[in-house]
Amino acid sequence: MMVGNHCYCFSSIITIFVSIAIHSTLASPRLHFCRHDQRDALLEFMHEFPIDKSFPSSWNKSSDCCFWEGVECHNKSGQVISLDLSDKYLNGSMKTNSSIFKLQYLGDLSLTNCNLQGEIPSSLGNLSRLKYLDLRSNNLVGEVPASMGHLTELEGLSLEKNSLSGSFPSSLANFTKLTRVFLNSNNFTSTLPSDMSGLHNLEWFDISENSFFGPFPKSLFTISSLIIVSLEKNQFTGPIDFENATSSPLFKLEDLVLASNKFDGLIPESISKFLNLQDLDLSRNSFSGPIPRSISKLDDLRHLDFAKNKLEGEVPSCLWNFPTVMLSHNFFSSFENVSQESTDIHRLDLNSNSLRGPFPDWVCKFSRLEYLDLSNNLFSGSIPSCLSRFTYFLMELTLGNNNFSGTLPDIFGDATRLESLDVSRNRLEGNFPKSLIHCKALKHVNVGSNKFKDKFPHWLGSLPSLHVLSLRCNKFFGPLYRRHMSSGFKSLRVMDISHNDFTGTLPPHYFSSWHEMTTLTEEYNQYMESHSFFDAYFDSFPFVPENYESVEMVIKGVEMSFERIRKDFRAIDFSKNRIHGKIPESLCSLKELLVLNLSGNAFTGVIPRSLAKLTKLETLDLSCNKLSGEIPQDLGKLSFLSYMNFSHNHLQGSVPRGTQFQSQNCSSFMDNPELLGLEDICRKPNVLGPTSHQPEEVSESEEPMFNWVAAAIAYGPGVFCGFVIGYYIFTSGYHEWFAERFGRRKIRVVTSVR
């Protein structure tokens, strides 16, 4: 018994002793690993920049530099081996004799997004142990110093998003350990080295958005370790060739982006060697001929983009096995027969080709289609109701500028994801599909330039996200307003119902619920874009394709086709209808409005003085109505109002003396006999001669149209860029010369009475 007690006491003593020892060890201060020369070099580096407060607070002499934020030391020697000051606002340049070059054991240097300026110092080549160098997203200029050739241990180099220029650093071609090279978004101008095969560990090579030129770099594609290559947005020329590429199963290439260059010739059959390819983008080049049949071997391909080339012939059916197929702006004329249903394809863009004949019924076999664009072709006949097979998944349907006829099938009952519908510029007739009321995600509806004959679809006002509505140039009829029913349209930004047969009056409160025209909301992208392609299967891609909503409108007397609509663009066009009564006072609450066209109606009464509250207004057309009284003098204070038309009314009194009024053409005020103060305006040179007082006749077959592309004209804040040129052409008598030389297929006319 005594022995047991002694053992128990001894065991307890041992336990207490061990506990005390452990506690003492944990409580003791940690060891200082930082070498003084390393600490001093870092502090000197900090003081080289004008705002040393941008450095972390932990950077001070009283603490171990190995525990400073962004600093990592070797666990035995105490040498600094990694320095990461990403997103610290250094706001200066790196000196040639910078103390950072004293850190001879530095293996990883990251100065991303630090607002570094000036040139890359040649002394950087002294850091011979560097494995990763990241200087992206700064304001660096000049050439990459030749001394970088000493960094033979480099595995990763990121210099993208600067303003570097000169030649491709030829020494890089000998860096056998390099796995990643990012030189994109700079100003490099040179050819690539003729032999790049020595980079046999290279995985990611991105030199996009520069001005590199010369032939296709064949040797690059002999490197079997490559995973991603982007040569996008450069000036490379000639044919592409993969004959020298290895056919080894070890070849890992997944993304190949050659878009926006000057490549030409045929797409080679040898492209099928890259069996792991997932993303293939050859868009915006000058490739010609057919699509090679060997492309059917690329079983893993998820995104194929051959848009904006000169490809022709038949579209092979094997493409329907790929989730995304972009073939717009080519010369394809027919399809290979489709024999079986496909659940793979999600996005199909065939717009602006030479495809003709009836609607391709085999499209209905694509049961999970989300995006379909067949616009700007020569299709004819009816739109089939079998499209209802995939409307549940459908997010965008674009069939505009064809020759489709008959009715638009009422098939949208379960299209709850639909965001955009564009069937404009066809010959569709009959009723407007009421099933669209179920499409709560709908943002863009364009059925303009057809023959729809129906009452105004008031119920569209209940759609919570509707931004753009164009019913222009149809046969819609009846009143716009229903008593005891809110007009809705709380998210509407652009509304064009011109050239129809709408009647009735608009009550004073008609526009009171149009909230999106009263204030602007913060939005990431400046253009109204499509969203259907932002799916999970694009998450890993190195780029995102663009697609923007479009619409046609008459602005400043010229019909324009906007291929991009800015998100801050607000416009209302009720022209060429039979609406009468007073102009609603609630219109004046739409403070973000840029374009207002009420011309060609029967509005009576005075022009509301409160229109002067629309301080961002750029275009105002009230011509061809029955308005009386004076033009409000306060309208002369609207500094952005560059185009106005008050002609063919019963206005009287003095024209406002504002600069914008005095710069108008005399025709903007004509046929108002009692209007005063036109002497200076009408004495200007190049004034248009007398015009007919007869109402404007609008005809699809008669009217020349200036189809201005907004991607080129690009509406901008405050002014419509390019409108100066367009306005001069249209008013100076050169519009016939312009149309003769630059007219496009299916040209239409809008002749405004001024």
Side-chain angles (χ1 to χ4, degrees):
M1 191 71 178
M2 289 291 292
V3 174
N5 287 336
H6 284 300
C7 289
Y8 176 82
C9 290
F10 183 77
S11 175
S12 299
I13 292 170
I14 293 296
T15 301
I16 293 170
F17 179 82
V18 170
S19 298
I20 292 172
I22 293 174
H23 178 76
S24 300
T25 302
L26 293 175
S28 63
R30 57 190 177 188
L31 298 175
H32 284 246
F33 294 107
C34 182
R35 294 168 57 100
H36 292 306
D37 62 317
Q38 304 284 283
R39 179 198 62 194
D40 294 343
L42 288 170
L43 290 174
E44 288 172 19
F45 178 67
M46 179 177 71
H47 293 304
E48 290 172 11
F49 295 94
I51 309 177
D52 55 15
K53 290 182 181 178
S54 299
F55 283 76
S57 59
S58 57
W59 283 47
N60 59 75
K61 265 190 173 182
S62 62
S63 61
D64 188 341
C65 75
C66 293
F67 296 97
W68 290 356
E69 181 183 339
V71 177
E72 182 182 345
C73 299
H74 190 275
N75 58 4
K76 291 183 179 179
S77 68
Q79 301 279 5
V80 174
I81 58 174
S82 176
L83 178 60
D84 185 354
L85 293 176
S86 297
D87 302 316
K88 304 294 187 256
Y89 190 70
L90 303 186
N91 193 33
S93 57
M94 294 178 64
K95 300 177 181 178
T96 303
N97 61 346
S98 172
S99 60
I100 197 174
F101 303 127
K102 297 177 182 178
L103 306 176
Q104 290 295 307
Y105 287 84
L106 204 59
D108 188 345
L109 176 60
S110 181
L111 300 176
T112 302
N113 193 29
C114 293
N115 198 32
L116 286 174
Q117 300 156 18
E119 298 184 352
I120 299 175
S122 58
S123 310
L124 191 64
N126 296 335
L127 300 177
S128 58
R129 291 180 174 84
L130 267 185
K131 293 184 177 180
Y132 299 97
L133 175 61
D134 191 346
L135 301 178
R136 61 192 153 102
S137 301
N138 284 291
N139 296 306
L140 298 170
V141 298
E143 298 189 10
V144 176
S147 61
M148 292 271 287
H150 301 149
L151 306 181
T152 55
E153 298 296 314
L154 267 186
E155 297 178 20
L157 176 63
S158 296
L159 302 179
E160 72 265 31
K161 297 182 181 179
N162 281 285
S163 297
L164 298 169
S165 56
S167 301
F168 181 90
S170 57
S171 57
L172 291 184
N174 301 317
F175 286 13
T176 58
K177 296 182 180 181
L178 263 179
T179 61
R180 298 193 171 199
V181 175
F182 299 100
L183 303 180
N184 49 296
S185 303
N186 279 288
N187 300 316
F188 290 112
T189 52
S190 72
T191 59
L192 296 182
S194 57
D195 185 6
M196 303 182 70
S197 59
L199 297 168
H200 47 73
N201 285 306
L202 192 62
E203 297 177 355
W204 196 321
F205 185 73
D206 188 348
I207 59 169
S208 60
E209 297 185 54
N210 281 284
S211 295
F212 288 113
F213 59 90
F216 181 68
K218 296 180 184 180
S219 62
L220 183 65
F221 293 90
T222 62
I223 303 171
S224 61
S225 57
L226 275 177
I227 297 175
I228 295 176
V229 174
S230 179
L231 310 182
E232 183 181 13
K233 294 184 180 179
N234 280 286
Q235 303 292 324
F236 292 110
T237 56
I240 62 175
D241 182 13
F242 304 104
E243 285 300 329
N244 295 329
T246 178
S247 57
S248 166
L250 297 178
F251 209 107
K252 303 174 182 179
L253 192 65
E254 295 179 1
D255 293 346
L256 176 59
V257 183
L258 306 181
S260 300
N261 279 282
K262 298 179 180 179
F263 292 122
D264 57 24
L266 300 176
I267 298 175
E269 296 279 350
S270 56
I271 202 165
S272 63
K273 288 185 174 184
F274 308 127
L275 297 178
N276 292 312
L277 210 56
Q278 297 182 20
D279 174 27
L280 176 59
D281 187 352
L282 308 183
S283 63
R284 296 176 176 85
N285 282 286
S286 295
F287 292 113
S288 57
I291 294 177
R293 298 286 171 167
S294 63
I295 209 159
S296 62
K297 299 177 182 179
L298 303 180
D299 294 335
D300 293 334
L301 199 63
R302 301 163 68 192
H303 177 91
L304 180 144
D305 191 348
F306 290 171
K308 296 186 178 180
N309 280 286
K310 299 176 182 178
L311 300 171
E312 59 188 0
E314 189 177 66
V315 180
S317 61
C318 65
L319 300 188
W320 314 143
N321 295 319
F322 308 140
T324 299
V325 177
M326 315 278 286
L327 300 177
S328 68
H329 296 87
N330 280 287
F331 299 101
F332 293 111
S333 55
S334 62
F335 301 101
E336 184 181 12
N337 288 332
V338 178
S339 58
Q340 60 185 16
E341 182 173 334
S342 172
T343 59
D344 294 321
I345 189 163
H346 297 279
R347 186 167 198 253
L348 176 58
D349 187 352
L350 293 166
N351 96 76
S352 302
N353 277 282
S354 299
L355 299 164
R356 62 181 65 241
F359 188 99
D361 285 348
W362 44 262
V363 169
C364 297
K365 296 180 180 180
F366 301 157
S367 57
R368 300 182 69 89
L369 200 60
E370 298 176 2
Y371 176 101
L372 176 63
D373 190 345
L374 302 180
S375 62
N376 302 307
N377 280 288
L378 300 168
F379 290 115
S380 57
S382 61
I383 297 174
S385 58
C386 65
L387 294 181
S388 61
R389 295 179 185 175
F390 56 76
T391 51
Y392 176 77
F393 297 98
L394 193 63
M395 299 179 76
E396 295 184 42
L397 179 62
T398 307
L399 306 177
N401 199 18
N402 281 285
N403 291 307
F404 289 122
S405 57
T407 61
L408 178 60
D410 203 359
I411 55 173
F412 302 100
D414 63 348
T416 55
R417 304 180 186 183
L418 187 66
E419 296 184 6
S420 177
L421 173 66
D422 187 343
V423 294
S424 62
R425 291 174 287 167
N426 281 289
R427 293 185 293 119
L428 299 171
E429 57 189 13
N431 293 332
F432 187 77
K434 290 183 172 58
S435 57
L436 287 172
I437 195 172
H438 300 288
C439 304
K440 301 301 182 183
L442 204 55
K443 296 181 179 180
H444 178 262
V445 175
N446 187 356
V447 299
S449 301
N450 279 288
K451 299 178 181 180
F452 286 105
K453 190 172 185 179
D454 202 348
K455 295 180 180 179
F456 180 70
H458 298 87
W459 42 267
L460 284 176
S462 66
L463 298 181
S465 302
L466 188 63
H467 293 325
V468 179
L469 174 61
S470 177
L471 307 179
R472 69 189 309 268
C473 297
N474 277 284
K475 298 180 180 180
F476 287 101
F477 60 91
L480 293 176
Y481 172 68
R482 278 189 178 182
R483 188 172 297 181
H484 308 305
M485 183 176 180
S486 171
S487 65
F489 297 113
K490 66 177 184 179
S491 297
L492 202 61
R493 302 176 180 183
V494 178
M495 185 173 189
D496 187 349
I497 58 172
S498 62
H499 300 89
N500 280 286
D501 195 25
F502 292 118
T503 57
T505 61
L506 302 177
H509 63 273
Y510 185 76
F511 297 100
S512 60
S513 60
W514 294 27
H515 302 309
E516 278 286 326
M517 295 200 185
T518 61
T519 55
L520 287 181
T521 53
E522 288 268 337
E523 294 182 282
Y524 173 70
N525 194 335
Q526 64 177 336
Y527 295 108
M528 298 185 200
E529 77 284 346
S530 305
H531 297 279
S532 65
F533 46 80
F534 292 110
D535 278 323
Y537 51 83
F538 284 111
D539 288 347
S540 62
F541 289 171
F543 73 100
V544 178
E546 322 183 311
N547 193 52
Y548 297 96
E549 302 294 10
S550 62
V551 74
E552 302 81 33
M553 292 193 76
V554 174
I555 299 179
K556 303 189 180 182
V558 179
E559 184 166 353
M560 301 186 179
S561 178
F562 287 89
E563 290 189 357
R564 295 186 179 189
I565 310 173
R566 284 185 58 106
K567 286 184 176 177
D568 59 358
F569 184 58
R570 304 289 187 271
I572 294 175
D573 190 345
F574 283 11
S575 65
K576 303 300 179 292
N577 284 285
R578 292 191 293 132
I579 307 168
H580 60 275
K582 294 183 178 181
I583 296 175
E585 284 287 338
S586 58
L587 184 64
C588 305
S589 66
L590 310 183
K591 296 181 180 179
E592 299 299 326
L593 198 61
L594 302 172
V595 176
L596 176 60
N597 190 348
L598 303 179
S599 66
N601 282 286
F603 286 108
T604 56
V606 299
I607 300 173
R609 290 185 59 185
S610 51
L611 279 180
K613 295 179 181 179
L614 304 181
T615 55
K616 296 185 178 181
L617 200 63
E618 300 180 1
T619 297
L620 175 62
D621 193 342
L622 302 178
S623 64
C624 299
N625 279 287
K626 299 179 181 180
L627 297 168
S628 57
E630 297 186 352
I631 299 175
Q633 293 297 310
D634 286 346
L635 291 182
K637 300 176 183 178
L638 298 180
S639 57
F640 292 122
L641 188 58
S642 58
Y643 174 88
M644 61 193 77
N645 195 342
F646 299 96
S647 64
H648 307 293
N649 279 288
H650 306 299
L651 300 171
Q652 60 188 22
S654 299
V655 173
R657 301 297 297 174
T659 303
Q660 302 290 25
F661 274 78
Q662 299 304 307
S663 64
Q664 298 300 306
N665 277 334
C666 183
S667 59
S668 295
F669 306 97
M670 69 179 305
D671 197 19
N672 289 285
E674 297 184 41
L675 208 54
L676 306 175
L678 294 174
E679 294 81 5
D680 292 338
I681 296 174
C682 292
R683 284 175 187 166
K684 292 188 304 182
N686 296 327
V687 173
L688 291 177
T691 59
S692 170
H693 293 195
Q694 297 177 355
E696 175 184 355
E697 296 286 335
V698 180
S699 169
E700 186 79 19
S701 60
E702 296 175 352
E703 301 192 1
M705 164 189 166
F706 295 102
N707 189 2
W708 300 82
V709 179
I713 296 179
Y715 159 76
V719 295
F720 287 90
C721 293
F723 281 7
V724 175
I725 299 172
Y727 183 75
Y728 172 75
I729 291 172
F730 195 76
T731 59
S732 62
Y734 287 106
H735 52 280
E736 292 182 1
W737 169 87
F738 185 87
E740 179 182 350
R741 286 159 177 76
F742 301 106
R744 291 182 57 186
R745 178 173 68 86
K746 198 168 182 179
I747 292 179
R748 297 174 294 159
V749 174
V750 172
T751 308
S752 293
V753 179
R754 299 191 175 193

